């Protein structure tokens, strides 16, 4: 039997397979996990691939029911219905990959040229002698000036360590300089690291970046421990206003969580936290203020004024963060009371401020920020969409992790779903939640008002109707989606859609005028756009209009920030 080669991009994986093998089987044999909710029967339409080079089998009728002519012409096919007939090159869109594999690919997508603000200089100093007894700091300053034409000032805490550190390292050292200030002394072999933090209302994401190569070495996500003080920012700010002690606790729990995560990440890389020489932190304005211990009372009252909206540099040690002695935490500027530094990060990383068409960009989370770029002019707002899409307030909602139902489908009156890791279902994550509501609506289980009706798979428990998604066993409960869950999603998606409509109305536009919709952030990469359209969360626009953008703030560590965030402030 003839064999042909398939090259899968963007992984760069190649394999040789017998003629007529399906592309889906080829991918699976190479360890590429595609979304296959219907297990290859051709009913879910989720296993989309794009043909880059070489002929494959003819488009069949099943594919035509899932892919429109325009997309077919662009080379989109279903992996389970496309067979090998010659050597070919296939691109796998991120949306067709299982969540875990998507996360790996996303890690590669943010590769940019590293141009960190914090520089390190390798120095080999001549030890002092009776004939050359210059002081230690001046010896270092002279070497920096001679070899690198760099004049420095010194963090006073560094001065306390300089003599012992130089001698312990036998006069070979890396001087860490931030904007002409000596902020750290590292052993010559230590890689200087940066930590980028996205301080979400419900989740915190951390990215540990090698500042020389620009590579993101580790990332970690955790639930914001402030959630025990309230799921939303208003209740947390109320807590902080009523008690100075609670305000302090709100700050401390985040700092403790960051230090714990940083220590874990550093331990797994076998480095010390003092190799972290720079930080970038973004968050909404309330998170930003609570993190810094700034007053929030004025944020809760009209006209919702932030204490500060310019970018800030604060010593990490003053905030209680473990790091190189003199490291700074750079906080991007806030725009307004409820549009914060995380939104600035989205604008900068998606290049929204440079676009000349009409683009909507959404960062979906507990607070969803939306920006409309109208030929270069930017308008932003935030919506209280709540934590439902992150699994909170949903009976069987859970985070994006092993066992979460990430895709769901009703086909031929059968329930089909796919879990992260393809194991037993233990709950439902955000993308699964959107799929479920869309499918229940499309199959008449819920009506356009969100009311659930009694029919197959629907039962009543404690006076509440619920749709049974997966049956449990003695140890595991059934996984269900309840009428109350539907109401939570209606509130969340209603807030987002209202935000979109308000922005469009500001410019007298309709959804038809929109050239591009950027769905930013990790959540944006997981959701099925057609499901989000079905439930009315996103406007009904052609598939090609939607762009997903992964924008962890790690990019911000790799670039000079002052110029970039000043540029945004000038334009707003
Ligand atoms: S796996 Fe190909 S259509 Fe479902």
């Amino acid at each position: 039997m003839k064999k042909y080669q398939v090259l899968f991009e963007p992984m760069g994986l190649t394999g040789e397979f017998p003629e007529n093998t399906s592309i889906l089987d080829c991918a699976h044999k190479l360890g590429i996990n595609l979304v296959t909710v219907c297990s290859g029967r051709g009913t879910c339409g989720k296993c989309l691939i794009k043909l880059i080079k070489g002929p494959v089998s003819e488009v069949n009728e099943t594919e035509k029911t899932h892919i429109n002519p325009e997309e077919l012409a662009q080379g989109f096919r279903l992996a389970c219905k496309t067979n090998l007939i010659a050597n070919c090159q296939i691109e796998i869109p991120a949306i067709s990959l299982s969540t875990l594999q998507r996360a790996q690919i996303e890690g590669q997508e943010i590769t940019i040229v590293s141009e960190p603000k914090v520089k390190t200089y390798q120095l080999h100093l001549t030890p002092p002698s009776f004939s050359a007894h210059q002081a230690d700091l001046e010896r270092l300053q002279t070497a920096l000036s001679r070899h690198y034409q760099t004049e420095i000032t010194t963090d006073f805490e560094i001065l306390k360590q300089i003599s012992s550190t130089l001698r312990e390292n036998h006069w070979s050292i890396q001087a860490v300089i931030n904007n002409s200030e000596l902020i750290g002394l590292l052993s010559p072999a230590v890689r200087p690291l940066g930590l980028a933090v996205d301080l979400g209302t419900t989740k915190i994401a951390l990215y540990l970046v090698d500042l020389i190569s620009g590579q993101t070495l580790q990332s970690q996500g955790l639930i914001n421990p402030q959630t025990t003080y309230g799921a939303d920012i208003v209740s947390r700010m109320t807590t902080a206003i009523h008690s100075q002690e609670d305000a302090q606790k709100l700050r401390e729990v985040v700092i403790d969580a960051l230090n714990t995560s940083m220590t874990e990440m550093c331990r797994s890389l076998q480095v010390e936290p003092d190799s972290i020489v720079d930080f970038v932190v973004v968050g909404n304005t309330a998170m930003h203020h609570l993190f810094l211990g700034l007053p929030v009372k004025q944020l809760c009252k009209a006209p919702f004024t932030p204490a500060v909206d310019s970018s800030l540099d604060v010593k990490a040690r003053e905030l209680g963060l473990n790091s190189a002695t003199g490291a700074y935490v750079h906080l991007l500027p806030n725009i307004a009371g409820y549009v914060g530094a995380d939104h600035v990060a989205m604008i900068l990383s998606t290049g929204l401020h440079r676009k000349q068409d009409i683009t909507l960009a959404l960062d979906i989370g507990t607070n969803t920020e939306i920006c409309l770029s109208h030929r270069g002019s930017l308008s932003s707002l935030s919506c209280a969409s709540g934590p439902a899409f992150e699994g909170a307030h949903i009976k069987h909602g859970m985070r994006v992790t092993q066992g979460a139902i990430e895709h769901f489908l009703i086909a031929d009156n059968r329930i089909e779903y796919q879990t992260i890791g393809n194991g037993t279902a233990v709950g439902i994550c955000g993308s699964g939640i959107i799929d479920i509501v869309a499918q229940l609506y499309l199959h008449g289980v819920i009506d356009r008002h969100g009311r659930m009706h009694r029919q197959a798979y629907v039962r009543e428990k404690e006076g509440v109707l619920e749709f049974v998604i997966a049956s449990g066993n003695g140890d595991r409960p059934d996984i269900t989606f309840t009428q109350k869950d539907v109401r939570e999603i209606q509130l969340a998606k209603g807030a987002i859609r209202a935000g979109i409509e308000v922005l469009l109305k500001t410019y007298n536009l309709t959804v038809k005028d929109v050239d591009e919709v950027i769905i930013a952030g990790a959540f944006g990469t997981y959701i099925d756009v057609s499901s989000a359209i079905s439930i009315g969360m996103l406007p009904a626009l052609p598939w090609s209009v939607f762009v997903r953008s992964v924008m962890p703030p790690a990019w911000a560590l790799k670039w000079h920030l002052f110029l970039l965030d000043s540029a945004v402030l000038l334009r707003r």
Side-chain angles (χ1 to χ4, degrees):
M1 185 179 283
K2 280 189 197 158
K3 287 192 168 185
Y4 297 111
Q5 270 203 348
V6 193
L7 167 61
F8 286 101
E9 300 286 11
M11 307 82 185
L13 289 173
T14 308
E16 203 177 57
F17 303 95
E19 188 172 24
N20 280 327
T21 308
S22 76
I23 299 296
L24 181 63
D25 284 343
C26 301
H28 279 169
K29 286 194 175 116
L30 289 172
I32 302 167
N33 290 322
L34 287 157
V35 179
T36 54
V37 183
C38 69
S39 309
R41 280 196 303 281
T43 53
C44 74
K46 304 282 186 196
C47 60
L48 272 185
I49 51 159
K50 191 175 180 187
L51 182 66
I52 305 293
K53 223 193 260 173
V56 288
S57 59
E58 290 288 307
V59 175
N60 67 24
E61 290 307 310
T62 308
E63 292 180 282
K64 287 181 190 167
T65 62
H66 293 291
I67 308 172
N68 67 37
E70 196 185 321
E71 288 156 2
L72 281 171
Q74 288 168 12
F76 284 101
R77 301 289 301 270
L78 291 181
C80 66
K81 297 294 163 199
T82 306
N83 294 340
L84 205 55
I85 57 168
N87 292 343
C88 62
Q89 187 178 346
I90 302 286
E91 181 187 318
I92 308 214
I95 188 62
S96 301
L97 287 167
S98 72
T99 301
L100 287 186
Q101 204 150 41
R102 218 178 300 158
Q104 290 161 14
I105 298 299
E106 286 157 8
Q108 294 162 10
E109 274 180 0
I110 58 163
T111 305
I112 58 172
V113 178
S114 182
E115 196 190 341
K117 183 164 164 281
V118 173
K119 309 273 184 224
T120 54
Y121 298 92
Q122 297 280 351
L123 296 170
H124 304 285
L125 307 179
T126 311
S129 63
F130 283 115
S131 56
H133 43 77
Q134 201 179 20
D136 293 337
L137 176 62
E138 281 69 24
R139 187 174 297 272
L140 192 76
Q141 284 174 326
T142 306
L144 277 167
S145 172
R146 187 179 308 138
H147 296 300
Y148 301 107
Q149 291 76 50
T150 296
E151 301 295 330
I152 56 162
T153 58
T154 307
D155 182 297
F156 183 60
E157 291 300 315
I158 299 282
L159 192 53
K160 292 181 187 171
Q161 303 164 0
I162 201 165
S163 298
S164 57
T165 311
L166 286 175
R167 284 163 181 82
E168 278 161 20
N169 286 283
H170 310 289
W171 302 92
S172 288
I173 202 88
Q174 268 188 96
V176 185
I177 312 285
N178 182 344
N179 208 23
S180 305
E181 180 186 340
L182 179 65
I183 59 160
L185 290 171
L186 300 177
S187 297
V190 171
R191 304 286 287 176
L193 303 176
L195 189 82
V197 181
D198 186 355
L199 210 53
T201 310
T202 307
K203 284 190 301 194
I204 299 177
L206 297 93
Y207 307 86
L208 198 55
V209 177
D210 181 327
L211 289 182
I212 306 262
S213 68
Q215 209 189 341
T216 301
L217 302 174
Q218 286 258 316
S219 58
Q220 210 176 81
L222 56 139
I223 294 292
N224 187 332
Q226 291 176 336
T227 47
T228 52
Y229 294 84
D232 56 82
I233 50 173
V234 174
S235 42
R236 280 181 227 171
M237 285 195 289
T238 308
T239 303
I241 292 164
H242 285 142
S243 155
Q244 194 51 42
E245 206 178 306
D246 284 344
Q248 181 63 14
K249 273 192 196 140
L250 278 165
R251 211 183 77 72
E252 282 171 6
V253 290
V254 168
I255 298 292
D256 288 349
L258 293 182
N259 278 333
T260 305
S261 287
M262 276 156 53
T263 307
E264 276 170 25
M265 288 196 284
C266 286
R267 193 179 300 133
S268 72
L269 292 171
Q270 298 182 320
V271 295
E272 295 298 321
D274 62 9
S275 52
I276 301 176
V277 298
D278 198 17
F279 292 79
V280 167
V281 175
V282 300
N284 60 53
T285 312
M287 289 295 104
H288 169 283
H289 280 35
L290 291 172
F291 173 70
L292 292 176
L294 296 175
V296 288
K297 195 170 180 182
Q298 76 292 343
L299 269 183
C300 297
K301 282 190 192 158
F304 314 109
T305 315
V308 59
D309 63 8
S310 50
S311 59
L312 291 175
D313 284 280
V314 183
K315 286 278 178 188
R317 64 171 184 259
E318 283 174 25
L319 297 173
L321 291 169
N322 301 333
S323 64
T325 307
Y328 282 93
V329 177
H330 181 76
L331 294 111
L332 265 65
N334 294 308
I335 293 178
Y338 287 88
V339 183
D342 51 349
H343 192 64
V344 175
M346 180 186 82
I347 291 170
L348 290 172
S349 62
T350 55
L352 207 56
H353 52 305
R354 289 192 294 269
K355 288 194 180 284
Q356 286 307 311
D357 55 5
I358 295 172
T359 302
L360 271 170
L362 297 90
D363 185 7
I364 300 166
T366 305
N367 295 287
T368 295
E369 287 88 20
I370 310 174
C371 183
L372 177 68
S373 169
H374 183 256
R375 308 196 198 291
S377 154
L378 303 180
S379 288
S380 298
L381 54 73
S382 89
C383 338
S385 43
F389 292 134
E390 307 194 49
H393 296 182
I394 299 293
K395 188 173 179 189
H396 288 106
M398 65 181 286
R399 286 194 299 142
V400 177
T401 185
Q402 293 278 350
I405 293 174
E406 56 170 341
H407 294 288
F408 175 86
L409 178 76
I410 301 173
D412 304 330
N413 289 324
R414 287 159 45 119
I415 288 176
E416 321 235 27
Y417 59 79
Q418 184 164 353
T419 62
I420 297 175
N422 293 321
T424 308
V426 291
I428 316 160
C429 65
S431 59
I433 289 168
I434 293 178
D435 276 2
I436 289 167
V437 178
Q439 289 292 306
L440 296 189
Y441 172 60
L442 294 172
H443 289 84
V445 181
I446 55 175
D447 60 27
R448 60 189 293 270
H449 302 291
R451 185 149 175 250
M452 194 174 280
H453 297 282
R454 288 173 197 276
Q455 49 177 276
Y457 301 108
V458 176
R459 70 184 184 195
E460 187 173 330
K461 201 164 182 200
E462 292 160 10
V464 179
L465 291 183
E466 59 181 20
F467 185 90
V468 181
I469 290 165
S471 300
N473 57 25
D475 302 329
R476 252 181 314 108
D478 296 343
I479 295 173
T480 60
F481 202 78
T482 70
Q483 175 69 74
K484 185 177 160 295
D485 295 339
V486 176
R487 298 296 182 211
E488 289 286 343
I489 296 304
Q490 281 181 294
L491 288 175
K493 72 99 186 174
I496 294 170
R497 189 57 190 270
I500 293 173
E501 296 300 329
V502 167
L503 279 175
L504 290 173
K505 209 167 172 199
T506 308
Y507 288 95
N508 282 329
L509 300 171
T510 69
V511 290
K512 290 198 183 73
D513 298 311
V514 176
D515 299 302
E516 191 175 48
V517 179
I518 299 173
I519 311 170
F523 182 66
T525 67
Y526 301 145
I527 63 169
D528 184 314
V529 167
S530 56
S531 291
I533 291 173
S534 297
I535 67 170
M537 181 172 119
L538 295 177
L541 290 165
W543 209 53
S544 54
V545 169
F546 293 90
V547 176
R548 292 155 199 274
S549 166
V550 183
M551 50 106 215
W555 62 272
L557 274 166
K558 305 172 189 176
W559 286 345
H560 283 292
L561 286 164
F562 292 115
L563 294 175
L564 286 168
D565 56 32
S566 321
V568 166
L569 282 176
L570 286 173
R571 291 171 68 96
R572 81 188 156 90

